[in-house]
Amino acid sequence: MRKLSHLWLAAVAGSLASLIVAALVLPRSFALTALSDVVQCFLLVSGAASFVPLVLRSRGRIRLFWSLITLGVSFWLLYQLLWTYYEVVLRRDVPDLFAGDVILFLHLVPLMAAIGLRPHIPRDEYSDRVGHFDFALLMMWWFYLYVLIVIPWQYVMADAAAYNRHLNALYVAEEIAFLLGLVACWITSKGHWRNLYASLFGMSVCYAASSTVANWAIGRQVYYSGSLYDVPLVAAMACLTWIGLRTKAESPTADARESSTLYGVWIARCSMIAVFSLPLFATWALADVTVPPEMRVFRLALTLIAAFFMGVMVLVRQHLLDRELTELLERSRESFDSLKHLQAQVLQSEKLASIGQFVGGAAHELNNPITAMLGYSDMLLSTQLTTEQRPLAAKIGQYVRRTKSLVASLISFARQAPSPKGPIDLNTLARTAVKLTQPQWEALEIEVRTEFDPALPKVLGDSNQLLQVCLQIVANCLHVLGDGGGVVRVSTQRQGETAVVQIATEPMPRAPSTSPQVSSPNDADDSFGLNACQGILQEHRGQISQERRENGAILLRVELPITESAPARTKESTVPVLWQSRPYA
């Protein structure tokens, strides 16, 4: 591609050099005229073609920018083709009152619209839709000026001298406006865009100077196609290809100077000034007594028609602006409501943080006596006890362990910082929970049966928190069975993209015992334990469900999303594997 670009630029440079040599060597002749016109057509075709890849590679406003640049160059090419048709094909001079002059005047309109987009700056704060209407108003205003000032001398009252004088004056004003726009874009841009605007400015200055000098030479009847007056013009045409092939401005500059709101305001002001200028032009059309009455009528009618269409555009623009303001007001209200909601959440978080600190301190203080009671209850079970005393000692140990589990839940609730997560094997967690609760279910004469899925995928989570969940739900099931005996079934399975740990109880009827009964605690501690588990599972994007049956059985399900692979920066969390493979049956 780079080699093709070099060959392309070499062909353009060769064409420019051949025309310069011909202008210096050849006298005024048809051959010189034909060479000049063909070279200019070739350079404009090359310039338009060089921008096509930029149109295809870009998106959004950048694509619109390059499309408008290509359209402006294409208008210029169309005018040059018409000029070549007269001089080369028909072999006669272009008429003084040339209808194709409007194409030359209009070729700057897409170029001004392109720089008006300011694609070097990210999307403006000013509404794009309203901004487009402002640009359309300005473009219509330029076309109105051409029809108002130039066209009457061509069709209403033919006068070649007045026609050329007014055309040249209006065209110079249009070129100056275009150059000022390029300067503004050059000042507010950086990087590739700054280089692009500088190149376009240099090309436009060369073109404006050459066209002004050529018009001066035409007025003195010393201009002819292929003369030295065409050399700056052809050099400007050759610059188009160089700009199209060398530019890298295909995306907005992130660090561009932001003045989008002020820019949008000035565009809107200019469009309103253009609209309000119509009554002034109407007054001028009526007051100008140096022109025939039919020209005054034509200008007045044109101004009224332009005022009507531009007024309609202003109404549509105002409607869009009102809608934009309404949407902005709604977003402001939503932002205010969100801010109030966020403030309430911050206050609630501060309250929860204070409660968490208090609960955490109290739980740590309770841990010491609970640990001592647990140790004494285990020591009591290891001594010689009667048949009636052993179940009572086992119940003491069971309730102490439940209290310890509740304290652990309180400590987990008091934690504010999230724990690191890694891939976890739920089978290992379930086996460990069964092993850690073995003293409880053996003392209560409860049978535990396990059924683990060996192909169960891993889940992503904190091993300590999920082990606490498993311990809590196993302890809840043991509490439900109590000293009545029964069976606890612990199983794991995969359901779609979810790993499930399921614990079910099957109570067994027993004959009434003559031993002293210890009253069961309230179910509030069970609810708190499950709520704590639910909080942990929500952090892991999981959930827990509970189902109670008529015979007193309970079914607890823990569901967690599976993960096939662990994140690159997390280490696999492990839990102590106290019991690997021996099933309970």
Side-chain angles (χ1 to χ4, degrees), residues 112-143:
M112 287 194 291
I115 64 174
L117 288 173
R118 296 213 310 170
H120 60 279
I121 290 180
R123 185 171 297 275
D124 294 337
E125 297 175 11
Y126 191 73
S127 169
D128 285 340
R129 289 175 293 180
V130 176
H132 292 165
F133 267 91
D134 292 330
F135 294 139
L137 281 169
L138 291 175
M139 296 305 104
M140 181 180 291
W141 182 74
W142 278 107
F143 184 74

Side-chain angles (χ1 to χ4, degrees), residues 327-378:
E327 293 177 358
L328 180 60
L329 179 60
E330 291 297 329
R331 288 196 295 268
S332 299
R333 289 176 178 173
E334 292 176 0
S335 300
F336 181 72
D337 293 339
S338 299
L339 182 61
K340 291 177 63 178
H341 181 64
L342 180 61
Q343 185 179 11
Q345 286 183 333
V346 170
L347 294 176
Q348 185 67 18
S349 299
E350 291 177 353
K351 292 179 181 179
L352 290 177
S354 301
I355 294 174
Q357 292 178 357
F358 172 76
V359 169
H364 281 294
E365 291 297 327
L366 290 174
N367 256 338
N368 293 330
I370 290 174
T371 303
M373 287 188 292
L374 185 60
Y376 288 136
S377 65
D378 292 342

Side-chain angles (χ1 to χ4, degrees), residues 240-263:
L240 290 173
T241 302
W242 183 83
I243 294 172
L245 294 179
R246 292 299 181 182
T247 186
K248 297 181 180 179
E250 300 176 15
S251 60
T253 303
D255 59 349
R257 300 175 188 176
E258 288 293 344
S259 57
S260 56
T261 303
L262 182 61
Y263 171 79

Side-chain angles (χ1 to χ4, degrees), residues 496-518:
E497 297 299 319
T498 303
V500 179
V501 179
Q502 184 170 288
I503 302 178
T505 63
E506 297 179 4
M508 293 185 180
R510 291 184 59 184
S513 174
T514 58
S515 303
Q517 301 295 321
V518 179

